[in-house]
Amino acid sequence: MGALVFGTANTASAQIDGECSASGAWQDNGLKVDAQTVGDDVITIPRTDTVNWEGSVSSPPGEYSGSIWLELPPPFGKLKIDDWSGNGDSTSNSGSKEYDIPKLVPAGVEFEVAGEHFADNGDCTGYVKLVIDGGLFDSFVSIIFFVLTALFGVLFALVVWKMLVNAGFFARSAL
Amino acid sequence: MKIGKLITTALLGFMFFLFIGLDLVLFGVIPLNSVVVTIMPIIGLVLGAALVVVASRKQGSAVNTAPPAA
């Protein structure tokens, strides 16, 4: 059985609906979460750590399935992270997951991880808003984006300025 | 109105506003799954194209109203 495990710092940061419970604890960082009791704040997670997770449902699930994903801007939809399915009577599961988010992913970006769990005896859905700990320029992607913003901004401004001057919006002598 | 100029300006507007949207995400102003990320490049595209249309009309009206050469 999979679990919807959502991390949090000292404050609330996840929502879960349905007869499920889920919790996680970051081994190195010390973060702890109980998805049932946390709220809707954005939380900061370390780029690298191991999470001890636990999940449970209120009654034997029977046939079950579920998945978690990263919410992308429309129209891109979802980027699946993991999924699970099976058949069983166990109402709980736990484990540890080591993760290492590549430097390619910029720190400070707020992203939403959502999940769902379907079983014969009930369904659950949930989400959490996360931010990776670190500085704005930890990832070279940020630098590339800023350079490209400036480049396209200058090009756009030059093209528009020249076009408007030629159209007579501004005096040519001003140039 | 030149189609090439229209496409060039619209594409530059698209790219400029796309990266503004991505920078807003990087700065944490808006979340990654915000619809603003989708809307920004469309705004740039429309703005670029609109500026070309406005400039072309202004240029056209200036030519039409110019006094005949002596």
Side-chain angles (χ1 to χ4, degrees):
Chain A
M1 178 175 65
L4 303 175
V5 179
F6 299 132
T8 183
N10 300 322
T11 53
S13 60
Q15 294 285 349
I16 190 165
D17 295 319
E19 295 296 316
C20 301
S21 67
S23 63
W26 274 251
Q27 285 184 3
D28 297 337
N29 186 284
L31 300 178
K32 288 182 180 176
V33 62
D34 182 342
Q36 291 279 12
T37 56
V38 296
D40 203 24
D41 295 340
V42 179
I43 57 158
T44 304
I45 61 168
R47 191 174 285 277
T48 305
D49 208 332
T50 300
V51 181
N52 300 328
W53 58 267
E54 293 179 11
S56 65
V57 291
S58 58
S59 54
E63 195 96 26
Y64 63 84
S65 66
S67 63
I68 57 172
W69 63 85
L70 176 66
E71 294 278 3
L72 297 174
F76 300 106
K78 305 171 179 178
L79 179 65
K80 191 173 81 176
I81 298 170
D82 195 12
D83 62 3
W84 57 87
S85 63
N87 196 328
D89 294 328
S90 174
T91 58
S92 66
N93 198 4
S94 64
S96 292
K97 176 69 177 176
E98 186 179 353
Y99 71 90
D100 185 5
I101 302 170
K103 281 275 187 182
L104 191 70
V105 181
V109 173
E110 181 188 325
F111 56 94
E112 187 173 306
V113 175
E116 59 192 9
H117 180 83
F118 301 115
D120 286 344
N121 293 320
D123 303 332
C124 296
T125 59
Y127 68 88
V128 62
K129 295 176 179 178
L130 301 171
V131 168
I132 299 170
D133 194 19
L136 186 61
F137 295 105
D138 285 357
S139 171
F140 67 91
V141 171
S142 304
I143 299 167
I144 292 173
F145 278 14
F146 294 145
V147 169
L148 287 174
T149 306
L151 178 70
F152 283 113
V154 168
L155 286 173
F156 183 65
L158 282 175
V159 167
V160 168
W161 175 256
K162 187 180 173 190
M163 190 173 60
L164 294 179
V165 167
N166 287 340
F169 279 99
F170 308 105
R172 282 176 187 273
S173 59
L175 290 175
Chain B
M1 180 172 57
K2 293 178 180 175
I3 297 298
K5 187 181 286 184
L6 180 85
I7 293 171
T8 303
T9 312
L11 279 178
L12 282 173
F14 178 90
M15 296 302 291
F16 179 43
F17 277 72
L18 169 69
F19 279 103
I20 289 177
L22 293 174
D23 289 344
L24 291 175
V25 173
L26 286 175
F27 277 110
V29 177
I30 54 174
L32 177 65
N33 61 336
S34 171
V35 73
V36 175
V37 182
T38 310
I39 290 173
M40 285 296 282
I42 297 170
I43 291 173
L45 190 81
V46 172
L47 179 67
L51 284 169
V52 174
V53 171
V54 169
S56 297
R57 287 188 176 171
K58 169 87 171 170
Q59 208 163 12
S61 65
V63 169
N64 291 336
T65 55

